[in-house]
Amino acid sequence: MSTRTLFPGRLNGPGRLNGPGRLNGPGRLNGPGRGVPSRDRAERRLAIRMTAPSLVLMALVAAVPIGYAIWLSLNQYSVRTAGLSRFVGMENYITALSSSEWWAAFGQTFLFAALSVSLELVLGTAMALLLNLAFKGRALLRTVVLLPYAIVTVVSAITWQTMFQPNLGLVTNVLSALGLPGGDVVWLGEHGYAMAVIVLADVWKTTPFAALIILAGLQVISAETYEAAELDGASKWQTFVHITLPLLRPAIVLAAIFRTMDALRVFDLPFVLTRGANGTESMSMLAYSQLRENRLVGEGSALSILTFLTVMVVSVIYIRFAGGNIREVAKEEQ
């Protein structure tokens, strides 16, 4: 009787199969699903060893200032005697959270972030679709479109401040000449109008950043996808809604994450344009005014930590829910 009959599933010779799922020889499989994970573990260990120095350095750079700010927030410092302090625990946080100024700045910051990020995503998507078209001079147009993002924010804010000066600014003069509402308004001196100027200034400067990320997502979509949709008789609008937007979702989510985190930390635009007056004070501005102008080190540090925690919580929520959507899209594409 042959060996094959006596021992089903076993082969003689080099690399013979000695049982279900078992191989002899170098790189042999010793059981179901074994062998490959060990190689993966080795690659993970190598990756950890190679990235560990950079990770430790980054952790120190981030942890030391944050840790020092937390320590400052737990103490109360004298504004009369330098170096005099006493430990007060959570008192500074309780004072901050019970003040109307904090909650006003909290609401104004989220209002600014919601308005600016929404407009930037819509305009950035439209801009990316335009820049993705093939036409003469496309490279030059891309360069011109990205110029606002390269301008320093303070310079951009001063420019917008000049444009909305009463009787002197470009915007107010144009509105007056055309007989449109707003020509006689002190834009930076009235509630609502001041926030509108800050939002417009932020949208003008940072929309190119969102467009750049979304444009990168557009260029990943293959031309064959659009050709198949055209053969199926899909219109331009149907192609955009059912193909372009779903495939752009990871890029749009990424742009939204970056821009929301940046908008919640806004400081320079309201500081230059309004100094936080007329309903434009952000969380960062409130912390700055307490820490630097009022010399309340403990209270200002507590406000800084609260701002940091707010941004961190929003980041976790974004990554938790939006990150899951990105992973689902990646699985669908595979």
Side-chain angles (χ1 to χ4, degrees):
M1 185 178 294
S2 67
T3 306
R4 186 182 303 273
T5 306
L6 290 173
F7 305 100
R10 299 189 179 187
L11 294 175
N12 292 328
R16 62 185 178 274
L17 185 65
N18 291 325
R22 299 187 179 184
L23 289 174
N24 287 333
R28 62 183 178 275
L29 186 65
N30 294 322
R34 296 184 182 180
V36 176
S38 63
R39 181 178 179 181
D40 290 343
R41 287 194 295 270
E43 291 179 352
R44 292 193 192 100
R45 287 194 294 267
L46 177 62
I48 292 172
R49 287 196 296 268
M50 295 181 68
T51 58
S54 299
L55 294 175
V56 171
L57 181 61
M58 292 173 63
L60 289 175
V61 170
V64 171
I66 294 173
Y68 185 57
I70 293 174
W71 170 252
L72 291 177
S73 69
L74 299 176
N75 291 268
Q76 190 175 63
Y77 293 82
S78 173
V79 295
R80 293 183 178 181
T81 306
L84 182 62
S85 66
R86 65 185 181 92
F87 183 80
V88 295
M90 301 298 293
E91 183 178 325
N92 291 325
Y93 291 95
I94 296 172
T95 302
L97 291 173
S98 61
S99 79
S100 58
E101 292 181 349
W102 162 255
W103 292 111
F106 183 88
Q108 287 155 187
T109 303
F110 271 85
L111 175 63
F112 165 80
L115 293 174
S116 61
V117 173
S118 299
L119 289 172
E120 287 160 12
L121 292 179
V122 173
L123 296 176
T125 302
M127 192 181 297
L129 291 171
L130 175 63
L131 296 176
N132 195 48
L133 298 176
F135 57 89
K136 187 176 181 180
R138 181 176 64 174
L140 177 61
L141 180 60
R142 288 181 177 180
T143 303
V144 172
V145 165
L146 292 175
L147 280 178
Y149 187 68
I151 297 175
V152 179
T153 305
V154 174
V155 176
S156 172
I158 294 173
T159 303
W160 281 86
Q161 186 181 52
T162 305
M163 290 170 58
F164 281 91
Q165 285 292 330
N167 303 321
L168 297 174
L170 174 64
V171 175
T172 54
N173 284 332
V174 170
L175 292 175
S176 298
L178 297 177
L180 297 174
D184 57 347
V185 172
V186 182
W187 284 76
L188 296 174
E190 296 190 21
H191 189 82
Y193 287 95
M195 178 63 76
V197 175
I198 295 175
V199 170
L200 288 174
D202 186 69
V203 169
W204 177 81
K205 186 184 186 307
T206 54
T207 295
F209 174 77
L212 190 64
I213 295 178
I214 297 171
L215 178 62
L218 272 175
Q219 293 181 339
V220 174
I221 304 176
S222 63
E224 289 79 4
T225 305
Y226 291 110
E227 292 174 359
E230 186 177 355
L231 290 175
D232 289 339
S235 64
K236 295 292 184 181
W237 176 251
Q238 290 174 328
T239 302
F240 174 73
V241 172
H242 298 290
I243 295 178
T244 305
L245 277 183
L247 294 178
L248 273 183
R249 185 171 60 183
I252 293 174
V253 168
L254 183 63
I257 291 174
F258 279 116
R259 285 302 309 130
T260 303
M261 301 307 102
D262 198 33
L264 291 176
R265 296 181 292 105
V266 66
F267 172 82
D268 37 18
L269 277 176
F271 183 80
V272 174
L273 288 170
T274 63
R275 299 285 175 174
N278 304 309
T280 60
E281 188 174 42
S282 65
M283 295 184 291
S284 298
M285 280 201 67
L286 180 61
Y288 171 84
S289 63
Q290 291 288 82
L291 184 62
R292 299 291 299 175
E293 296 178 1
N294 298 335
R295 302 294 181 181
L296 300 175
V297 178
E299 291 85 341
S301 299
L303 290 170
S304 299
I305 296 300
L306 287 175
T307 302
F308 166 75
L309 291 176
T310 301
V311 176
M312 186 178 69
V313 168
V314 175
S315 303
V316 170
I317 293 173
Y318 252 124
I319 295 172
R320 174 66 180 85
F321 292 99
N325 291 336
I326 293 175
R327 286 190 292 270
E328 289 175 6
V329 172
K331 291 179 181 178
E332 291 173 2
E333 290 178 352
Q334 292 175 356

